Amino acid sequence: MGRYDDIINMEHPSSERHPRMSALDRAAQFSAFAALTGYEDIISESGRRTEERPEVDEEQLGRLNEAMGRIEKELASRPAVKGLRFLPDSRKSGGRMTAFEGRVRNIDISTSALVLADGTSIPLQDILELEVL
């Protein structure tokens, strides 16, 4: 006689108070557990590259001042501009270069920013190239 011969053919016990768990719920008990929540995000963030803010030389500064003067003169007609700006990264040092284009709504003196018609506010110190179209 074997060790479990007396119970091998018995019906599986069931409870009226506790219904059987579905196969999906049983599988969820054994799914992978992430003990270090957020660790993958931290690793991917540290691997993300940023660029250093480029320095503006005297020649570039002269062209920027010239373009800003022209924008001030033509501000009533909302001149179209395009350019290149440095967008600082909110999470780490550095940032990235991005192009922008639009019509100028205003030059905000209080925040030293160029405000485009779509509401985008670009700090003047972040503008690297500017062309009035």
Side-chain angles (χ1 to χ4, degrees):
M1 183 164 182
R3 194 167 176 188
Y4 299 105
D5 286 345
D6 58 331
I7 64 169
I8 196 77
N9 292 322
M10 292 182 79
E11 189 177 317
H12 188 317
S14 62
S15 169
E16 290 180 18
R17 268 193 285 172
H18 303 288
R20 279 190 78 135
M21 190 179 284
S22 71
L24 184 63
D25 289 339
R26 286 182 52 80
Q29 291 181 346
F30 303 102
S31 66
F33 173 69
L36 299 173
T37 306
Y39 180 71
E40 289 296 324
D41 295 335
I42 292 169
I43 294 298
S44 65
E45 176 62 27
S46 66
R48 190 170 54 86
R49 296 196 178 274
T50 58
E51 300 173 24
E52 292 300 316
R53 180 187 295 270
E55 295 295 322
V56 178
D57 63 22
E58 292 296 321
E59 187 178 319
Q60 286 175 307
L61 192 57
R63 285 194 304 264
L64 288 172
N65 286 335
E66 189 178 300
M68 287 302 294
R70 188 168 164 207
I71 290 169
E72 283 181 314
K73 287 179 186 174
E74 300 175 14
L75 194 56
S77 65
R78 294 192 171 196
V81 295
K82 72 175 183 176
L84 187 65
R85 72 176 282 195
F86 181 77
L87 184 63
D89 195 291
S90 61
R91 295 186 179 179
K92 59 198 294 188
S93 67
R96 62 186 169 94
M97 308 292 279
T98 60
F100 66 91
E101 190 170 348
R103 294 205 164 270
V104 177
R105 179 192 311 165
N106 190 16
I107 298 173
D108 190 347
I109 303 300
S110 64
T111 60
S112 295
L114 187 69
V115 182
L116 301 181
D118 65 0
T120 304
S121 180
I122 305 169
L124 296 178
Q125 72 265 12
D126 291 343
I127 298 175
L128 303 170
E129 294 177 14
L130 183 62
E131 181 184 347
V132 181
L133 304 175

